[in-house]
Structures are given as structure tokens and as C-alpha cells.
Amino acid sequence: MIIDIYNQLIKKRKLTALYVLSAIIITYFASWFPDFENLIGIEGARISSVVSFGALNGLILGPFWGTIVSFTGIMGHTLIRGGTPDTFHLLTPFFVAIASAVAGLCIIKKEKAAMAIFGVLILLWYVTPLGRSVYYYPWFHILTLGGFFAFNYKLKDREENIFKFIFLLLASLMAILADHLAGSISATLLFDLPPQMFASVIMIYPIERITLALAAAAIMYMLIISLQNTLMESETYHDQVREKKETEILNYVDEVKGMLEEDNKN
């Protein structure tokens, strides 16, 4: 319910313009932050905080504006930082934009499209020769897709706050892993990388991506809870809740009535 109301708010032009401008500026400056290295005691672990903004922009702005914001902010960094960027760095904004698209589709309740994009990326990994060699590399991507699928069809309609957070976390994780896999696929095509390079990080990248997803989900969760607390004091919100409950009851009555009429005919 609260996510539905949030989706209505971000469609307002003045709010959207403010969000978009602010998000582009924040994403651009965030792209200059140094990477975090050797976190949680794991040597070689490296996390670029800007990847969180790919998922966060999608969650806040939806798949359209979120994608534009992420692409614009990261491309600005790529072009301004100096030197001639190579092909991989020119593609980097597209990777982050994919994350925004996936997260944005989840927040506007087009989860099937988000899962389809993520699933295609997993399949594309196995199209590459190196992907078939290191076939176990996307194990965490597959696990995340399965977890999101199960949650989406079993628990997504639960109204408790914990389920809201789990949904945001899984959506953020899937988005960030989409960015990760798109980058990995591009790297295998552009560079002559040994299979050992990917095999050596199969237990490291899940921890990196979970950390990034937690950051994005936590920020979005705080925004939604703040909105929820504000609306709880609004009569309009309570009217909408009442209308939704009445609609659900009427739909249920219509279904039962239809079943009874069919039984009488038989």
C-alpha cells in the first residue's frame, strides 16, 4: 500500500524534476568517491559505492528516470575524469543503468520484466566461451533470482515492515548483480582474461554485492517508513486504506457469488 502511494508521488512533475536533478548531481559526485578495499577482512575485496546508486536511483525514480539519472551521472564522470576512456569504461554507465532499470521495474510492480532482464544476463554468461568454462561463476545470481521469484509469488503482498525491507533488499541485490554480470560479460568479450580470475572471486563478490544492496535498500526503506509515518497522520491515507479494504471485500464477494451461481447452474 505504502509503495503504491510512493509510486503516485514520484509521478508528480515537480517532485520528479527535483528528484532527477538532485540524483544526477549526487550520483556524479558519488562516482568520484574512492573504492573501499579489503573490507570485512577479505583480501582483494573491493567495493565501488557508486554501484549502490544504480539500484537506489531505480528504486526512488522508477525504471525510466532512474536509468537516465544513473547513465548521465556515471557518463559525466567517465568523460570528465581526464584521458581517453577505453571501451570498457565507456560501457560502465550502461551497466549501472541496467541496475536502475531492474530496480525500477521492481518498485513499479513489473517484477516479471525485471526478472526477465536478469535471467537473460545469466543466459548470456553461458553464451561466452569463458562463461561455459567457469559455469559456476553466476551461482549467486541464480540463487538471488530464485529467491526473488519465490518471495514475489509468496510473500510480496504482506504489509509488515520486515517484508517491505526484504523486498527492497532482494530488488536491490538483483539490480546490483545485474550490473555486476553485465560488466563481467563485457570484460570477457573485450579482454583476454583467464578463467582463474573469475574462479578466484566466486565467494568474494556475493559479500561485496550484499553490502551494496543493504546500503541501497536501507536508504529506500528509511524513505518509505518516513513517508508511512507522515501519512499515518493524514486522513487521506486512512481513507485510501479503507477504500482498498472495501474493494478487496467486494471483489471477494463477487468471486463467491460467481462460484455459487455456477454451482446452481450445474
Side-chain angles (χ1 to χ4, degrees):
M1 178 65 181
I2 192 67
I3 293 180
D4 293 337
I5 295 174
Y6 178 81
N7 283 329
Q8 294 175 14
L9 285 176
I10 63 175
K11 291 178 182 178
K12 296 182 180 297
R13 290 185 178 181
K14 291 183 178 180
L15 283 176
T16 299
L18 177 62
Y19 284 158
V20 167
L21 180 60
S22 301
I24 289 176
I25 295 172
I26 293 172
T27 303
Y28 170 75
F29 283 104
S31 66
W32 292 94
F33 292 165
D35 294 342
F36 300 103
E37 299 186 18
N38 299 327
L39 291 180
I40 49 184
I42 300 178
E43 184 177 355
R46 181 176 179 178
I47 300 178
S48 175
S49 59
V50 74
V51 180
S52 289
F53 284 87
L56 187 59
N57 288 336
L59 293 175
I60 293 176
L61 296 170
F64 179 72
W65 288 113
T67 299
I68 291 176
V69 163
S70 294
F71 179 83
T72 304
I74 304 302
M75 183 59 79
H77 169 83
T78 301
L79 297 177
I80 293 174
R81 67 177 185 167
T84 302
D86 57 29
T87 303
F88 184 80
H89 282 93
L90 286 174
L91 290 174
T92 299
F94 290 97
F95 307 153
V96 183
I98 289 173
S100 296
V102 170
L105 288 168
C106 290
I107 205 69
I108 65 170
K109 295 189 173 182
K110 293 186 177 180
E111 297 93 340
K112 290 182 179 179
M115 288 188 286
I117 293 173
F118 193 49
V120 168
L121 286 171
I122 293 174
L123 292 176
L124 286 176
W125 171 257
Y126 291 105
V127 171
T128 66
L130 193 147
R132 292 191 295 273
S133 175
V134 193
Y135 60 88
Y136 46 84
Y137 178 70
W139 70 271
F140 190 63
H141 302 74
I142 297 171
L143 183 64
T144 299
L145 179 60
F148 185 86
F149 178 85
F151 181 88
N152 187 56
Y153 285 96
K154 295 291 184 180
L155 300 170
K156 75 168 185 176
D157 293 327
R158 298 285 294 270
E159 292 293 331
E160 293 87 343
N161 287 340
I162 184 62
F163 291 102
K164 293 188 182 77
F165 180 76
I166 293 173
F167 170 78
L168 293 172
L169 178 59
L170 288 173
S172 299
L173 185 58
M174 189 164 65
I176 288 169
L177 285 172
D179 165 281
H180 175 251
L181 195 54
S184 297
I185 293 169
S186 299
T188 64
L189 298 175
L190 294 173
F191 307 111
D192 185 18
L193 301 176
Q196 293 80 3
M197 181 175 178
F198 292 91
S200 64
V201 297
I202 60 170
M203 299 307 295
I204 295 177
Y205 81 76
I207 299 174
E208 294 178 347
R209 305 299 144 173
I210 289 173
T211 304
L212 295 168
L214 278 170
I219 293 172
M220 186 62 185
Y221 178 76
M222 287 188 288
L223 288 174
I224 288 179
I225 293 302
S226 298
L227 176 62
Q228 177 177 283
N229 292 336
T230 301
L231 291 176
M232 285 295 289
E233 301 175 0
S234 169
E235 292 183 3
T236 302
Y237 172 76
H238 290 289
D239 290 341
Q240 290 182 345
V241 172
R242 193 180 304 110
E243 289 176 3
K244 182 178 180 181
K245 290 182 178 179
E246 290 175 354
T247 301
E248 290 176 351
I249 292 173
L250 290 174
N251 290 337
Y252 177 75
V253 170
D254 289 338
E255 289 179 5
V256 173
K257 183 179 178 182
M259 293 171 62
L260 292 174
E261 289 177 350
E262 289 183 4
D263 290 340
N264 291 333
K265 290 179 181 178
N266 296 331

